[in-house]
Each structure stands twice: as structure tokens, then as C-alpha cells.
Amino acid sequence: MTDTPASKTNLAVAAAEDADIPSIVALWERCELTRPWNDPSADIARARQGPASAVLVGRDGNTIVATVMVGHDGHRGWVYYVAVNPDQHKKGYGRAIMAAAEDWLRERSIEKLQLLVRADNTRVQAFYETLDYDQQERVIYAKWLDGRPMTP
């Protein structure tokens, strides 16, 4: 997504505010991160309700151009909804928003960050490899606790 060092971006990163939610959801939809079975507004609300997670936004001026949802379980950190406005690629914003998520976790003494990438999303896999993330072999199990059938 980027070849520009994060330190050379003009991205200002901060925790999301209530007024940011429509712009965040619109960005996630534009980046094709949303799925019909996940309500993005509800995901944002859950992430913002406690100290173990947050939604960070990156602004270029007054415009939200990058986001990351970051959280931890006390042992491992996770990121979700890493997004950069497609019109703003190659400016270092992806690298900068991930650095902000890593810093957020370090501030909470979380030593390992994990993330999930769909197997067919090779472009995003290549991006994370440029940030020194390594693929780990794992089998993921999931269950909807409300009884829904499993989603892809």
C-alpha cells in the first residue's frame, strides 16, 4: 500500500470520536471491509466502550483517510478494519496507521500483534510482509453464539 516511511507522512492519528463514525463506516465500505453479517457501527461501538480496544483514525487535514480497530485480550493484540482511502494509497498512511496500532499496544505492555487476512487477498498480504509480519500456520475455528449458521 505504501512505500513512504511513516515518519514522513502528514497523517495525524487519534482515537475516533462520535462524529467520525459515519466517515469511518463509509471508508470501510469503500475499502470493501464490511460484511453483511457484521454491523460496522456496532463493531465501532463495542471497540470504543472499554479500555482494551479502540478505533484509531488517521486524518490528512480534516479528512479521515485511514483507520484501524485495535484491541487486546491481555495477552495478544489484534487489529481489524485496517483501511486507507484508495485515492490516498502510496502516501505512507497504511504504514503510519499500523505503527499507531503497534504503539497503542506497546503502551499497554502487549508484546504480540496478530491479524487475519483472507487467503485470496494477496495484495494485503504483500503489504503486511513489507511491515515485517510473518505468516503463521494456524487453524481458525469460529462459532456464532446467537445460533446463526457459519459465514464464509
Side-chain angles (χ1 to χ4, degrees), residues 129-149:
E129 289 169 8
T130 69
L131 299 180
D132 296 325
Y133 283 81
D134 292 318
Q135 186 178 31
Q136 294 189 314
E137 297 300 321
R138 301 291 185 265
V139 176
I140 298 172
Y141 287 90
K143 176 182 179 179
W144 286 105
L145 299 179
D146 62 4
R148 284 184 267 180

Side-chain angles (χ1 to χ4, degrees), residues 10-133:
N10 57 344
L11 194 70
V13 179
E17 300 176 7
D18 291 345
D20 297 330
I21 294 172
S23 296
I24 294 168
V25 172
L27 178 60
W28 290 356
E29 289 172 349
R30 180 142 191 243
C31 293
E32 299 179 354
L33 297 178
T34 60
R35 297 294 182 263
W37 53 85
N38 288 339
D39 175 0
S41 295
D43 286 350
I44 293 167
R46 279 189 296 274
R48 295 178 66 216
Q49 73 186 25
S53 57
V55 178
L56 305 178
V57 295
R59 289 183 172 81
D60 182 350
N62 292 324
T63 304
I64 294 174
V65 296
T67 67
V68 62
M69 180 184 290
V70 59
H72 68 87
D73 58 16
H75 181 65
R76 290 184 181 93
W78 288 88
V79 295
Y80 305 90
Y81 293 110
V82 177
V84 173
N85 182 321
D87 298 335
Q88 303 291 323
H89 284 187
K90 304 294 184 191
K91 292 186 175 184
Y93 296 157
R95 186 173 297 275
I97 201 72
M98 281 301 296
E102 291 172 4
D103 289 345
W104 189 94
L105 290 165
R106 280 187 198 98
E107 290 168 7
R108 287 150 183 85
S109 300
I110 303 300
E111 297 176 340
K112 185 177 184 182
L113 189 158
Q114 298 185 151
L115 54 96
L116 302 171
V117 178
R118 294 181 187 278
D120 62 350
N121 198 342
T122 56
R123 184 180 62 84
V124 169
Q125 291 174 28
F127 166 70
Y128 286 115
E129 289 169 8
T130 69
L131 299 180
D132 296 325
Y133 283 81

